[in-house]
Amino acid sequence: MLSLSQRAGKLAVGERGCEMALQNGEAVLVIIAGDASGNTKKKFEQKAFYYETKCLELGTKTDIGSAIGKEGAAVVALKDLGMAEQIMLLECQETKTEVGGCQK
Protein backbone atom coordinates (compact mmCIF):
# COMPACT_ATOMS: atom_id res chain seq x y z
CA MET A 1 0.00 0.00 0.00
CA LEU A 2 2.86 2.39 0.77
CA SER A 3 4.48 1.83 -2.61
CA LEU A 4 1.15 2.38 -4.38
CA SER A 5 0.66 5.60 -2.44
CA GLN A 6 4.12 6.78 -3.36
CA ARG A 7 3.62 6.03 -7.05
CA ALA A 8 0.35 7.96 -6.92
CA GLY A 9 2.11 10.93 -5.34
CA LYS A 10 0.08 10.55 -2.15
CA LEU A 11 2.93 9.86 0.29
CA ALA A 12 5.14 12.30 2.18
CA VAL A 13 8.47 10.80 3.27
CA GLY A 14 10.82 11.94 6.01
CA GLU A 15 10.47 14.47 8.77
CA ARG A 16 10.36 17.57 6.56
CA GLY A 17 7.85 16.12 4.09
CA CYS A 18 5.59 14.82 6.86
CA GLU A 19 5.66 18.13 8.74
CA MET A 20 4.63 19.96 5.56
CA ALA A 21 1.83 17.47 4.84
CA LEU A 22 0.49 17.87 8.39
CA GLN A 23 0.69 21.67 8.32
CA ASN A 24 -1.01 21.84 4.91
CA GLY A 25 -3.82 19.57 6.08
CA GLU A 26 -2.95 16.93 3.49
CA ALA A 27 -1.90 14.11 5.85
CA VAL A 28 -4.60 11.65 6.88
CA LEU A 29 -2.32 9.03 8.49
CA VAL A 30 1.18 9.27 9.93
CA ILE A 31 3.21 6.07 10.18
CA ILE A 32 6.20 6.06 12.51
CA ALA A 33 8.76 3.25 12.44
CA GLY A 34 9.02 1.28 15.68
CA ASP A 35 12.79 1.78 15.72
CA ALA A 36 12.62 5.56 15.15
CA SER A 37 14.28 7.66 17.82
CA GLY A 38 12.30 8.61 20.90
CA ASN A 39 12.42 12.26 19.86
CA THR A 40 11.01 11.49 16.40
CA LYS A 41 8.21 9.37 17.86
CA LYS A 42 7.28 12.00 20.41
CA LYS A 43 7.46 14.85 17.88
CA PHE A 44 5.18 13.21 15.33
CA GLU A 45 2.76 11.76 17.87
CA GLN A 46 2.31 15.31 19.23
CA LYS A 47 2.02 16.85 15.75
CA ALA A 48 -0.50 14.22 14.67
CA PHE A 49 -2.53 14.87 17.81
CA TYR A 50 -2.38 18.64 17.26
CA TYR A 51 -3.49 18.36 13.63
CA GLU A 52 -6.11 15.70 14.52
CA THR A 53 -4.48 13.08 12.29
CA LYS A 54 -4.33 9.34 12.96
CA CYS A 55 -0.91 8.00 13.88
CA LEU A 56 0.38 4.41 13.82
CA GLU A 57 3.65 2.91 14.96
CA LEU A 58 4.33 0.25 12.37
CA GLY A 59 7.31 -1.84 11.26
CA THR A 60 10.90 -0.65 11.20
CA LYS A 61 12.75 2.00 9.23
CA THR A 62 14.04 -0.78 6.97
CA ASP A 63 10.53 -2.18 6.44
CA ILE A 64 9.11 1.20 5.49
CA GLY A 65 12.13 2.06 3.35
CA SER A 66 11.99 -1.18 1.40
CA ALA A 67 8.26 -0.70 0.78
CA ILE A 68 8.89 2.68 -0.85
CA GLY A 69 12.24 1.92 -2.49
CA LYS A 70 14.42 3.96 -0.16
CA GLU A 71 17.22 3.02 2.22
CA GLY A 72 15.14 3.69 5.30
CA ALA A 73 12.43 6.00 6.49
CA ALA A 74 11.48 6.75 10.09
CA VAL A 75 8.23 8.52 9.29
CA VAL A 76 5.81 8.75 6.35
CA ALA A 77 2.44 10.44 5.93
CA LEU A 78 -0.32 9.21 3.67
CA LYS A 79 -2.28 11.89 1.87
CA ASP A 80 -5.01 9.60 0.52
CA LEU A 81 -7.91 8.62 2.78
CA GLY A 82 -8.68 5.37 0.94
CA MET A 83 -5.10 4.09 1.18
CA ALA A 84 -4.87 5.15 4.82
CA GLU A 85 -8.09 3.29 5.67
CA GLN A 86 -6.77 0.14 3.96
CA ILE A 87 -3.53 0.25 5.94
CA MET A 88 -5.39 0.80 9.23
CA LEU A 89 -7.80 -2.02 8.43
CA LEU A 90 -4.96 -4.42 7.58
CA GLU A 91 -3.04 -3.48 10.72
CA CYS A 92 -6.10 -3.92 12.93
CA GLN A 93 -6.86 -7.31 11.39
CA GLU A 94 -3.27 -8.38 11.97
CA THR A 95 -3.29 -7.26 15.60
CA LYS A 96 -6.90 -8.41 16.11
CA THR A 97 -8.11 -5.07 17.45
CA GLU A 98 -11.09 -2.95 16.51
CA VAL A 99 -10.51 -0.30 13.86
CA GLY A 100 -11.61 2.51 16.18
CA GLY A 101 -9.24 1.35 18.92
CA CYS A 102 -6.25 0.56 16.77
CA GLN A 103 -3.66 3.26 17.38
CA LYS A 104 -0.30 1.69 18.22
Side-chain angles (χ1 to χ4, degrees), residues 45-78:
E45 286 170 356
Q46 289 176 344
K47 283 188 177 285
F49 178 78
Y50 179 79
Y51 289 105
E52 298 176 356
T53 303
K54 295 260 186 214
C55 182
L56 289 176
E57 187 175 303
L58 189 64
T60 65
K61 291 188 274 190
T62 304
D63 294 337
I64 294 171
S66 65
I68 60 173
K70 301 219 182 262
E71 186 112 353
V75 62
V76 294
L78 281 105

Side-chain angles (χ1 to χ4, degrees), residues 2 9 12 19 21 38 45-46 48 52-54 77 80 87 99 104:
L2 289 178
E19 282 182 45
E45 286 170 356
Q46 289 176 344
E52 298 176 356
T53 303
K54 295 260 186 214
D80 181 77
I87 289 174
V99 175
K104 267 189 167 176

Side-chain angles (χ1 to χ4, degrees), residues 10-45:
K10 298 291 184 178
L11 187 72
V13 181
E15 289 192 27
R16 172 79 97 172
C18 291
E19 282 182 45
M20 295 294 289
L22 283 164
Q23 290 171 356
N24 294 337
E26 297 175 314
V28 292
L29 174 66
V30 175
I31 298 175
I32 305 169
D35 60 348
S37 73
N39 287 340
T40 299
K41 287 180 184 180
K42 182 178 178 182
K43 176 181 180 179
F44 281 96
E45 286 170 356

Side-chain angles (χ1 to χ4, degrees), residues 74-90:
V75 62
V76 294
L78 281 105
K79 299 188 256 183
D80 181 77
L81 183 60
M83 295 285 195
E85 287 174 344
Q86 289 296 317
I87 289 174
M88 288 188 295
L89 184 62
L90 291 171

